[in-house]
Amino acid sequence: MSEFEIKTIVNPQTADREYIREVAETKRALELWTMEPGFRERFLAAPEETLAAHDLSVDALAVKILADHDTAVKYQKTPPAELPRTVRRYRGFIREKVTERERMIKEFCVPKHPAFRAWRSRQINRCWAEFGARNRSLIHVPMTYELDLGCSVGCPFCGLMAPRLQKVCRYDEDAELWKGVLDFAKETLGDAAGQGTCYYATEPLDNPDYERFVDDFFEIFGIVPQLTTAISMRKPERTRAFLSDALKKYRRIHRFSVLSLDILHKIYETFTPEELTCVELLPQFTEAPQNKFANAGRARENDTLHVDEGDGNTISCVSGFIVNMAERSVRLITPCGASKAHPTGELRVAKEFFSDLDDFKQVLLSMIDRYMQPEFPKEQPLFLRPSISFRKTEEGVECFHSDKFRLEFRGADALSPALYQDILDKLQAGGKTACDVAEELTEETGAFPAHIFFILKKFEKAGLFLEPYECEGR
Ligand code: SF4
């Protein structure tokens, strides 16, 4: 193999142990940089010795380029072929993960149901306005599943404010319902229904039957859902067995939330770097040098956690349904910035309960029907989103949200800048329907209705209007 060749690791083209070891050890060195107090200083003073003290034999210069900002800047213009091999291989691994995430957003998570697809697309566009570049990391999963009600861990930073563990769904009692729910989700949404996880505001390993539920998920979708666990060390042998089986069936990235330095050390004593190649470690303890709690949920209430100042954030990446098997409920949510009104960074559109499989089918279809319009009816009163600002420009109009987002609509030919501006004036009055706008502007300016409807459709697709269910009572 040429040393310039970059191989995929999450979906390995080869069982090249040395290649994987090199990436895995680099990953561990970078984790130490972000999580182990004092590692950075020790490494900068004595790179090789510090890596050796952690049984790592990777190239110290490569670690420095990847971890240290000043060194990265120094090597910014170095042609890739002249960078240390380890840097190229590690960056190849990161690119592989990013590419997979982008495919999830744009391909795998797109539901086949047309109304659901249109609604999800509007939510994604709304989130560009509300989160800016941060929206790149939100998958907007259309369907996810919870096997318990609440969570046993009780993290003080929990972005979803998970309540205490109250109930778990047992496989022996609910296997048939579970398989029926998955089958119907697949029938309705297509393969996108298998892109979610089997946890949300829950801890997956709280459920003693988690592995059995996941086996059915694999049977139906051919996918092992991502595991994110905060209790990887509660029963290390269970975690190891799950990972080993899961990665044999379906290679993907899983995650451990690391709640303390002590847990980090236990993880490192238990798992080799190679075993954790496909497991991201998330620093979730205050001593970790690069720990950052999201400004959402309980972290916002807890002064000692030092959340980011400024706008509320979210850890939710669901634009769609959460099916809770323990309390038999379906909720429809989509991300938003955490605020007093939406402390968990989720717009909770609706929640309904079901009693059995037939009821689940009826509830799911009726929620899609009620809340997800393929397009807005022309008699629908239109309200611009209050979270987005609008102004006229020389070329048309633009919308923006602080310094995070700017979207320009430039007029040209028949769709002149003045037409965009006239439409904005009408919309800013609030509550006019597309028909009202067309009728008034045709009479006042002689504009063609077809052009007006075309521009209004562009605004609608960009997620700039409140959804019909958000306008109720206005
Ligand atoms: S962050 Fe996860 S593990 Fe912690 S309380 Fe919330 S749901 Fe449970």
Side-chain angles (χ1 to χ4, degrees):
M1 180 184 67
S2 151
E3 73 156 304
F4 295 106
E5 197 176 346
I6 299 298
K7 297 204 168 280
T8 57
I9 285 193
V10 185
N11 290 300
Q13 301 156 323
T14 174
D16 183 340
R17 285 173 175 272
E18 265 313 293
Y19 190 113
I20 290 174
R21 185 198 58 77
E22 187 176 341
V23 171
E25 286 202 10
T26 308
K27 172 177 170 287
R28 182 158 291 191
L30 297 175
E31 286 163 1
L32 286 162
W33 183 280
T34 56
M35 280 191 269
E36 174 88 26
F39 177 87
R40 178 179 178 275
E41 292 72 18
R42 289 196 296 279
F43 174 86
L44 290 175
E48 280 82 9
E49 291 82 342
T50 305
L51 291 173
H54 290 274
D55 288 330
L56 301 175
S57 56
V58 277
D59 176 5
L61 175 60
V63 172
K64 207 168 167 199
I65 293 172
L66 290 164
D68 180 52
H69 177 260
D70 292 346
T71 313
V73 170
K74 208 167 118 195
Y75 282 84
Q76 215 166 22
K77 294 203 172 124
T78 306
E82 290 169 29
L83 286 170
R85 185 185 70 187
T86 304
V87 172
R88 297 196 309 273
R89 289 183 169 183
Y90 189 77
R91 286 185 177 159
F93 172 55
I94 299 297
R95 267 198 306 278
E96 188 187 350
K97 293 200 289 182
V98 170
T99 304
E100 189 64 12
R101 189 180 68 203
E102 283 171 358
R103 289 193 70 193
M104 277 186 84
I105 299 168
K106 292 182 184 153
E107 278 178 57
F108 308 144
C109 284
V110 178
K112 75 172 187 184
H113 192 291
F116 197 162
R117 195 165 59 233
W119 178 85
R120 176 178 176 270
S121 171
R122 291 195 296 274
Q123 304 317 312
I124 293 174
N125 289 339
R126 172 185 56 77
C127 285
W128 282 114
E130 294 183 3
F131 295 111
R134 158 105 179 83
N135 191 33
R136 248 183 228 127
S137 61
L138 304 180
I139 309 288
H140 296 276
V141 169
M143 181 78 99
T144 212
Y145 311 87
E146 291 175 327
L147 300 171
D148 313 318
L149 182 60
C151 170
S152 73
V153 188
C155 303
F157 57 81
C158 182
L160 297 173
M161 302 177 91
R164 66 180 171 74
L165 183 62
Q166 295 153 61
K167 196 173 178 193
V168 297
C169 177
R170 297 308 307 256
Y171 188 82
D172 284 338
E173 286 156 29
D174 279 327
E176 289 314 306
L177 177 63
W178 171 238
K179 285 185 258 188
V181 162
L182 296 183
D183 278 332
F184 189 68
K186 186 174 180 181
E187 193 183 315
T188 311
L189 275 68
D191 290 337
Q195 291 298 324
T197 54
C198 293
Y199 67 88
Y200 182 68
T202 54
E203 160 53 56
L205 298 183
D206 271 345
N207 193 302
D209 302 325
Y210 180 77
E211 293 82 346
R212 298 172 78 192
F213 286 111
V214 162
D215 281 347
D216 288 342
F217 196 99
F218 182 71
E219 279 293 309
I220 290 168
F221 293 109
I223 287 174
V224 176
Q226 183 188 62
L227 174 89
T228 300
T229 178
I231 54 171
S232 57
M233 289 297 101
R234 211 180 259 180
K235 288 187 184 161
E237 62 293 349
R238 181 184 182 195
T239 310
R240 185 192 297 282
F242 175 82
L243 278 182
S244 159
D245 183 52
L247 291 170
K248 261 184 226 137
K249 286 182 182 153
Y250 185 84
R251 300 276 297 181
R252 73 172 317 149
I253 298 294
H254 297 283
R255 305 189 300 185
F256 293 171
S257 288
V258 183
L259 302 184
S260 71
L261 193 55
D262 184 46
I263 292 175
L264 178 69
H265 292 160
K266 285 197 176 115
I267 290 171
Y268 283 168
E269 280 159 24
T270 309
F271 295 101
T272 65
E274 287 93 325
E275 279 180 293
L276 295 186
T277 312
C278 287
V279 180
E280 289 175 349
L281 301 190
L282 313 174
Q284 303 275 266
F285 56 101
T286 42
E287 309 96 292
Q290 291 191 11
N291 170 61
K292 253 189 179 180
F293 295 115
N295 187 353
R298 278 203 282 272
R300 284 168 67 82
E301 295 177 338
N302 193 336
D303 284 349
T304 57
L305 295 177
H306 310 299
V307 294
D308 290 345
E309 294 302 320
D311 286 1
N313 212 322
T314 188
I315 62 161
S316 173
C317 57
V318 175
S319 275
F321 295 104
I322 297 174
V323 181
N324 184 295
M325 292 295 298
E327 68 165 2
R328 299 194 178 181
S329 67
V330 182
R331 1 202 245 284
L332 176 59
I333 63 160
T334 181
C336 68
S339 63
K340 275 207 171 103
H342 308 289
T344 55
E346 306 156 290
L347 290 172
R348 297 186 176 192
V349 180
K351 175 175 178 177
E352 293 191 24
F353 293 89
F354 59 94
S355 53
D356 56 21
L357 184 56
D358 283 342
D359 199 27
F360 168 75
K361 292 178 181 179
Q362 197 268 328
V363 163
L364 186 71
L365 293 180
S366 72
M367 288 173 89
I368 292 176
D369 200 40
R370 162 130 208 246
Y371 298 107
M372 297 173 168
Q373 307 284 339
E375 52 184 2
F376 292 3
K378 290 214 169 45
E379 317 71 47
Q380 168 67 38
L382 299 172
F383 292 94
L384 292 167
R385 287 201 168 273
S387 56
I388 304 173
S389 305
F390 296 82
R391 69 179 157 224
K392 295 175 186 172
T393 64
E394 276 188 17
E395 292 166 309
V397 298
E398 69 176 12
C399 48
F400 59 100
H401 177 78
S402 58
D403 56 354
K404 287 184 193 163
F405 162 84
R406 186 169 306 281
L407 176 64
E408 284 185 65
F409 293 89
R410 291 191 188 155
D413 305 323
L415 306 177
S416 66
L419 181 57
Y420 277 93
Q421 292 163 0
D422 290 341
I423 289 176
L424 179 62
D425 281 338
K426 295 288 177 195
L427 291 172
Q428 281 179 323
K432 289 185 190 296
T433 67
C435 287
D436 293 337
V437 175
E439 209 174 293
E440 289 177 23
L441 283 181
T442 303
E443 203 175 303
E444 290 164 21
T445 68
F448 289 112
H451 294 161
I452 297 165
F453 288 135
F454 180 79
I455 290 174
L456 289 172
K457 189 59 60 191
K458 283 215 275 189
F459 286 5
E460 177 190 315
K461 285 187 173 173
L464 303 180
F465 296 136
L466 292 178
E467 293 288 319
Y469 56 78
E470 293 175 292
C471 300
E472 284 165 16
R474 275 182 170 256

